[in-house]
Amino acid sequence: MDNILTQQEAALRSGQISDVHYSLQLKLEKGSQEYEGDSTVRFLYTGGKKGKLKVDFVSHKIEILWLNGKEETKYEKKDSFLLIPGEILEEGKNELRIKYKNLFDHSGSGFHKFTDPADKAEYMHTDFEPFEAHRLFPSFDQPDLKATYDLQVTGPSEWTFIHNTVPQTEEVQGNYKNIKFHRTKKFSTYLFSLIVGPYAVWEDKAGDIPLRILCRKSLSKYMDAENLFAITKEAFGFLQNYFGVPYPYGKYDQIFVPEFNMGAMENVGAVTFSESYIFRGPRIYSEYLNRANTVYHEMVHMWFGNLVTMKWWNDLWLNESFADYLSYYSMSNGKLFPDALEHFYVREEWAYREDQLSTTHPIAGKAENTLEAISNFDGISYSKGASVLRQLMYYVGEEKFRDAMRLYFKRHAEKNTVLNDFLSCMSETSGVDIRGWSKEWLETTGVNTLSPVRQNGRLFLSQSPSENNGLLRTHALQATLFQEEGGKLKEVWRKRVLVKGKETLLEESDKGQADLLLLNTEDYAYAKTYLGKEALPILKRSLHTLQDRFARRVVWGSLWQMVRDAELSPREFLELALDQGLKEPDLSVRNSHILTKALTVIDNYIPESEKRNWSDRMNAIAKEKSLLANNPEQEQILWFRILENTSKSEAQLTYLKELLDEKKAIPGIPIDQERRWTILARLSAYGDTESDARIEKEIAKDNTDLGAKKAFLARVSFPDAKRKKDVWDRFLHPQKEDSTDFLRYGMRGFQWGHQKQLLLPYVDLFFDSVISVYESRDPHFSSAFGHMMFPSYEPDTKLYNRTREFLDQKKTLPELLRKDLQQQRDDIARTLRVLEKYNK
């Protein structure tokens, strides 16, 4: 039976249950794959002794169950829950106690256990969103049954134990210690945390708030705790003041945990992060900013999500949209990353992409069950919701927007909310009835496109609807006119524009000179923007002379949307990128908007016959630029990545091998462990006969878990039919020690575009296997398989038709699979449209 909870079941249960408290006792042993639990749930029951009460619980073995002090056997045990007959419950107070044994998880979720190959140390962490807390303890695992928790843990004395609160008592007896933690404040089950292991620890304070950063010992040499503490303190300094509510949870731990499925998780007072944020070498600025943004994002959740929580997962945006936007907004008000909102503009591309797919949904979406809730952790709930909040802030004003947040927390602290609760607070403080705005923005789908139009000597802004509906919205934005003077683009005017309907007048007397009208400068609106046809010749001459960096970002962002919409030839984009793009002075603009996009265009939007030519041009540029001795370090990192990514010919691969063997060198680029693995994977993928021996030699030097995973990726990359078949079978039937994270690395190495002939059999195998994968495996593994193993090495009409027919014929597909395949189908359709444009 599926491990899911429906919204209907949750609503029924929250009508029967209240005043919940959990007492947990856990015993953990070294080297064991199971642990012991003794958990008590106290609650008020008002269900009239009718029907059955569902208690969520995935258990290996229930040893004894007591109800109200008496041993009880009249219950049904299912794979993921217990059913307790209503007639044996008391009206009013009840106490359910269960003594049990359970197995650790290896999927990254639940109570995940990991053994570090570098020193054999064991690490455990919980990850419970949206519906996994019942893997650790019996619970009413839904967001609106908030509870308090008492936790007591016994385990090896050398381990550190981290919970949502600090220890109350700690006793050591021989090789074991027993820790009793302070009772928690009231919060939802998915925010409960327990992190265990011999962690390295750094300590600091933000005012009166104790701070800790923790990571496993074998990675401690890479941890830049001072930098992370500085970000954390700046975030606390801004957010407590901005929200008008002091941090509610006493202490703040940030723990970097192995094999984490997401970027981070906002457990109350004990945030867990992916170890991908532990940088083992220098990175480029945008990567430091993105990590800082994750720190801010999780802290915003302490208020939005933890203090005030959505009632059910259909209002996930009340958590994620706010955390997504306010993290960038808060950073922009600090000193460390004041340009954060420019990087928010980069992130919005996620929203634009997903909002144009057939799987799009309203920001205030629906989630009939917890499995559907997982599929809503997407670019709509995060990035589109965030962008729309930015628009709302611009519309009502920053102070009124802030005051609405303060009212929301004051009114709903430790409670659960729905859409109308937010709208009421915003309407009260802004003096504007926000319900109309909500209907237009939060309860609809699709993205509008805004374009400049010249007509009869006048300048207009034209609005068109999305493909899926005919909706024209109201947008508040900035429009800026630049004029070419003496070979340079100068700003003529910048104005706030309210867009309504199909056409909005911008300028009564348009002289039609050589100028560039840029829509949505500073990115206040959620809309795709196009450039006028007359803009392209100007950009080819003078784009690099535009002084305003954010404006340059918006130009490149508009060009990118036009390529994806088949409004601009990919060839023209590439020519512009390899001319004006190379003159772009800001490295993060050049990376995110120009060179990365150029690589995407080469991989996806030009015919196979021309890919090598463009790739070779990029490779030659990267090699030439990387050999300039006076380049800053971050620029060198960027050129090396492009050089590696575009190395395909024998000569290009030989150069990589010479770098690996230190026969050649690039100034300022040591071929460190991460770069060695990257080069080895590429050499293996192109069939280098020495690659297996090199991989063995490398793994002997790098005995870390990451070394093992990257070695697996490199081996899987080799173009050998038997090897591909063996690893395919391993994906479908994993070995006992295979974690989801380990298998994901293998999936990354499986498909290479140039191996198409070798991979053709896996088209049929994918469609034959994928349903059983989604039916039998956890959502994190299933989605990785569905995305990475889909045969997308060269999208063509045949694959499009195969995917479409599969979706049409299979009426009862798992919902998550249906969504993933619909997105693959839509992406192929878009690619085919762009290719058709290219060939004209």
Side-chain angles (χ1 to χ4, degrees):
M1 189 168 289
D2 283 339
N3 181 18
I4 59 173
L5 181 71
T6 67
Q7 185 174 11
Q8 196 174 0
E9 287 174 318
L12 174 68
R13 192 160 62 182
S14 64
Q16 299 175 325
I17 298 295
S18 61
D19 199 16
V20 184
H21 173 73
Y22 298 96
S23 292
L24 284 77
Q25 292 183 40
L26 298 170
K27 186 171 183 188
L28 310 176
E29 296 277 5
K30 254 188 191 176
S32 176
Q33 285 305 311
E34 66 176 26
Y35 57 92
E36 293 177 24
D38 189 342
S39 295
T40 302
V41 194
R42 296 179 183 88
F43 57 95
L44 288 181
Y45 170 76
T46 53
K49 291 178 166 284
K50 295 173 185 170
K52 294 174 181 177
L53 177 65
K54 185 178 186 182
V55 180
D56 306 308
F57 191 32
V58 173
S59 58
H60 177 53
K61 183 185 179 187
I62 291 179
E63 296 188 324
I64 189 163
L65 181 150
W66 297 270
L67 184 63
N68 297 320
K70 297 176 188 171
E71 187 177 344
E72 185 58 74
T73 57
K74 291 181 187 169
Y75 64 90
E76 285 180 66
K77 181 182 184 299
K78 305 290 187 183
D79 286 347
S80 60
F81 58 89
L82 311 174
L83 290 173
I84 297 175
E87 69 251 23
I88 66 172
L89 292 164
E90 299 288 338
E91 280 289 319
K93 290 183 179 179
N94 284 265
E95 181 181 286
L96 173 67
R97 181 184 170 195
I98 301 176
K99 196 173 179 186
Y100 58 94
K101 286 188 176 173
N102 237 349
L103 301 175
F104 287 104
D105 298 291
H106 297 283
S107 63
S109 295
F111 195 21
H112 180 85
K113 184 170 186 180
F114 166 85
T115 302
D116 190 339
D119 57 9
K120 306 304 177 210
E122 295 172 84
Y123 295 90
M124 290 128 269
H125 72 262
T126 55
D127 188 42
F128 288 161
E129 190 175 31
F131 183 61
E132 305 281 3
H134 61 287
R135 290 186 179 279
L136 178 64
F137 59 96
S139 55
F140 305 118
D141 200 358
Q142 61 191 72
D144 64 336
L145 285 175
K146 289 191 167 185
T148 51
Y149 308 82
D150 284 317
L151 172 66
Q152 198 168 331
V153 189
T154 302
S157 54
E158 69 267 33
W159 288 357
T160 301
F161 297 83
I162 305 114
H163 179 46
N164 307 94
T165 56
V166 295
Q168 183 177 335
T169 60
E170 190 169 326
E171 296 172 4
V172 177
Q173 293 178 326
N175 295 326
Y176 288 90
K177 66 180 166 188
N178 184 279
I179 300 181
K180 184 178 182 184
F181 290 92
H182 280 281
R183 177 171 292 189
T184 70
K185 292 206 172 178
K186 189 189 270 194
F187 54 77
S188 304
T189 47
Y190 76 91
L191 296 164
F192 178 97
S193 69
L194 173 61
I195 299 103
V196 181
Y199 279 92
V201 184
W202 294 261
E203 296 186 13
D204 206 333
K205 276 196 155 188
D208 295 332
I209 305 162
L211 307 177
R212 288 194 301 176
I213 288 170
L214 302 97
C215 78
R216 54 184 160 121
K217 284 185 176 177
S218 64
L219 295 180
S220 60
K221 61 186 173 187
Y222 302 113
M223 177 56 72
D224 50 343
E226 195 177 328
N227 178 15
L228 289 163
F229 278 136
I231 295 161
T232 307
K233 290 177 199 177
E234 186 181 77
F236 266 128
F238 180 82
L239 290 171
Q240 292 191 99
N241 178 56
Y242 183 74
F243 290 145
V245 177
Y247 172 65
Y249 301 115
K251 60 94 178 177
Y252 199 70
D253 292 332
Q254 297 177 102
I255 312 101
F256 293 78
V257 298
E259 303 196 319
F260 203 58
N261 283 320
M262 313 295 277
M265 177 61 206
E266 67 269 18
N267 313 306
V268 164
V271 177
T272 42
F273 290 86
S274 162
E275 288 179 342
S276 63
Y277 289 122
I278 300 176
F279 296 153
R280 303 178 196 212
R283 299 294 178 102
I284 59 174
Y285 174 75
S286 59
E287 290 167 316
Y288 290 108
L289 183 142
N290 289 341
R291 179 175 68 172
N293 177 256
T294 304
V295 171
Y296 266 84
H297 180 110
E298 303 313 314
M299 196 183 291
V300 173
H301 273 314
M302 296 300 132
W303 289 266
F304 268 109
N306 297 9
L307 184 63
V308 182
T309 314
M310 79 259 133
K311 183 173 175 61
W312 179 249
W313 299 102
N314 54 330
D315 278 321
L316 175 69
W317 72 281
L318 282 170
N319 284 12
E320 297 303 347
S321 300
F322 284 91
D324 215 52
Y325 175 52
L326 290 172
S327 57
Y328 284 97
Y329 176 76
S330 306
M331 289 169 77
S332 74
N333 281 276
K335 292 179 179 176
L336 297 174
F337 299 96
D339 60 341
L341 288 171
E342 292 189 39
H343 294 260
F344 177 65
Y345 176 70
V346 181
R347 184 168 172 81
E348 282 174 299
E349 287 172 0
W350 183 25
Y352 294 136
R353 177 190 171 270
E354 295 215 351
D355 208 11
Q356 294 175 85
L357 297 168
S358 59
T359 53
T360 188
H361 57 86
I363 295 165
K366 72 178 183 70
E368 290 177 8
N369 58 55
T370 48
L371 200 55
E372 192 173 342
I374 291 169
S375 72
N376 285 343
F377 285 80
D378 60 14
I380 306 299
S381 299
Y382 283 73
S383 186
K384 181 181 179 181
S387 183
V388 164
L389 290 175
R390 177 156 169 73
Q391 169 79 157
L392 180 61
M393 182 188 273
Y394 190 58
Y395 183 57
V396 302
E398 291 191 32
E399 286 189 14
K400 288 177 178 177
F401 188 91
R402 179 204 62 204
D403 292 346
M405 306 297 96
R406 292 177 174 179
L407 178 61
Y408 182 75
F409 295 128
K410 186 177 175 185
R411 187 172 287 171
H412 301 292
E414 293 200 331
K415 296 176 186 166
N416 295 84
T417 54
V418 294
L419 170 63
N420 276 335
D421 297 316
F422 162 72
L423 298 179
S424 296
C425 292
M426 190 57 73
S427 296
E428 279 180 50
T429 57
S430 68
V432 179
D433 184 0
I434 300 297
R435 282 171 184 80
W437 173 87
S438 170
K439 284 187 166 40
E440 190 175 35
W441 285 104
L442 300 179
E443 299 166 49
T444 61
T445 63
V447 55
N448 297 107
T449 304
L450 307 177
S451 313
V453 175
R454 296 178 190 278
Q455 201 175 323
N456 302 326
R458 303 162 95 199
L459 189 55
F460 290 90
L461 189 158
S462 163
Q463 178 181 190
S464 57
S466 72
E467 285 182 18
N468 301 325
N469 60 47
L471 187 67
L472 298 176
R473 295 185 177 90
T474 304
H475 305 263
L477 56 82
Q478 262 189 17
T480 309
L481 187 71
F482 298 93
Q483 211 161 68
E484 210 176 14
E485 289 177 16
K488 292 185 176 179
L489 284 166
K490 300 280 176 64
E491 186 175 315
V492 179
W493 53 251
R494 182 178 295 233
K495 57 177 77 169
R496 187 179 192 270
V497 182
L498 199 63
V499 177
K500 290 186 176 180
K502 283 188 177 181
E503 283 193 343
T504 303
L505 182 65
L506 285 176
E507 191 84 318
E508 193 63 65
S509 56
D510 172 33
K511 298 180 179 62
Q513 294 173 326
D515 57 23
L516 167 69
L517 177 63
L518 198 53
L519 304 176
N520 203 22
T521 40
E522 295 193 46
D523 186 38
Y524 291 110
Y526 174 74
K528 289 189 298 176
T529 57
Y530 286 175
L531 298 162
K533 287 185 172 59
E534 70 287 342
L536 212 58
I538 299 168
L539 294 177
K540 285 178 179 177
R541 293 190 299 266
S542 305
L543 173 51
H544 69 286
T545 68
L546 198 58
Q547 290 297 301
D548 182 339
R549 181 180 62 196
F550 206 158
R552 296 197 306 274
R553 279 191 194 276
V554 174
V555 168
W556 285 106
S558 297
L559 290 167
W560 175 242
Q561 295 299 341
M562 291 170 74
V563 170
R564 293 192 78 247
D565 289 351
E567 293 291 332
L568 174 69
S569 159
R571 185 187 288 111
E572 283 196 282
F573 181 88
L574 288 173
E575 285 168 352
L576 198 58
L578 298 190
D579 177 33
Q580 288 291 315
L582 297 180
K583 297 171 187 171
E584 168 56 51
D586 185 85
L587 191 66
S588 65
V589 176
R590 203 188 319 155
N591 175 43
S592 57
H593 293 287
I594 304 169
L595 297 175
T596 303
K597 295 296 189 294
L599 290 173
T600 305
V601 168
I602 293 167
D603 285 344
N604 297 285
Y605 294 147
I606 60 176
E608 199 67 33
S609 58
E610 294 188 34
K611 285 185 179 183
R612 181 57 72 85
N613 175 43
W614 284 106
S615 178
D616 286 348
R617 281 181 66 181
M618 291 277 286
N619 187 274
I621 289 166
K623 186 174 180 182
E624 179 193 337
K625 298 282 188 186
S626 70
L627 293 174
L628 300 174
N630 58 349
N631 281 344
E633 179 182 55
Q634 296 202 359
E635 182 152 357
Q636 288 297 78
I637 293 169
L638 180 57
W639 289 128
F640 174 79
R641 289 177 184 176
I642 291 167
L643 178 77
E644 183 277 322
N645 198 283
T646 55
S647 290
K648 297 170 183 178
S649 71
E650 191 176 339
Q652 291 161 354
L653 293 164
T654 298
Y655 184 62
L656 287 187
K657 203 187 289 192
E658 288 172 336
L659 291 173
L660 193 64
D661 294 336
E662 298 180 355
K663 292 176 182 174
K664 296 269 174 76
I666 295 173
I669 293 288
I671 304 301
D672 59 17
Q673 194 58 67
E674 291 198 20
R675 292 189 180 111
R676 295 185 71 79
W677 281 122
T678 306
I679 292 172
L680 276 172
R682 181 160 289 272
L683 293 175
S684 178
Y686 279 86
D688 188 286
T689 53
E690 297 176 340
S691 59
D692 278 352
R694 285 176 175 273
I695 291 165
E696 290 306 319
K697 194 174 165 188
E698 208 63 41
I699 196 74
K701 289 191 297 182
D702 183 9
N703 69 335
T704 64
D705 65 299
L706 195 59
K709 288 165 185 168
K710 293 199 169 183
F712 185 42
L713 185 161
R715 288 189 193 106
V716 170
S717 299
F718 194 79
D720 175 73
K722 183 180 185 305
R723 193 176 302 192
K724 297 286 186 189
K725 183 67 173 69
D726 288 348
V727 79
W728 176 272
D729 292 342
R730 189 168 175 178
F731 294 151
L732 297 184
H733 309 288
Q735 296 172 12
K736 190 178 178 184
E737 69 276 9
D738 288 343
S739 67
T740 296
D741 196 51
F742 180 82
L743 294 173
R744 267 196 296 252
Y745 272 87
M747 290 179 201
R748 284 176 202 160
F750 192 84
Q751 303 203 71
W752 291 76
H754 66 280
Q755 297 177 359
K756 184 178 179 184
Q757 288 307 310
L758 182 67
L759 296 170
L760 282 175
Y762 295 94
V763 178
D764 287 343
L765 284 169
F766 175 84
F767 285 105
D768 290 346
S769 312
V770 71
I771 295 174
S772 66
V773 169
Y774 276 73
E775 284 177 344
S776 62
R777 305 291 287 278
D778 72 273
H780 291 293
F781 179 90
S782 302
S783 221
F785 186 89
H787 283 98
M788 288 194 259
M789 304 311 290
F790 183 80
S792 57
Y793 19 86
E794 190 188 358
D796 54 23
T797 308
K798 196 173 168 185
L799 181 61
Y800 172 80
N801 289 335
R802 178 79 188 266
T803 311
R804 183 175 53 80
E805 285 160 12
F806 185 85
L807 285 163
D808 290 346
Q809 288 163 8
K810 310 285 183 184
K811 301 299 180 191
T812 56
L813 288 175
E815 278 305 305
L816 193 57
L817 171 57
R818 184 170 292 281
K819 180 175 180 177
D820 288 344
L821 285 180
Q822 285 171 330
Q823 292 189 349
Q824 299 281 12
R825 177 202 62 198
D826 294 352
D827 280 340
I828 298 171
R830 180 177 290 273
T831 299
L832 293 173
R833 277 201 303 274
V834 177
L835 284 170
E836 191 180 335
K837 172 90 174 183
Y838 190 96
N839 290 323
K840 280 184 178 175

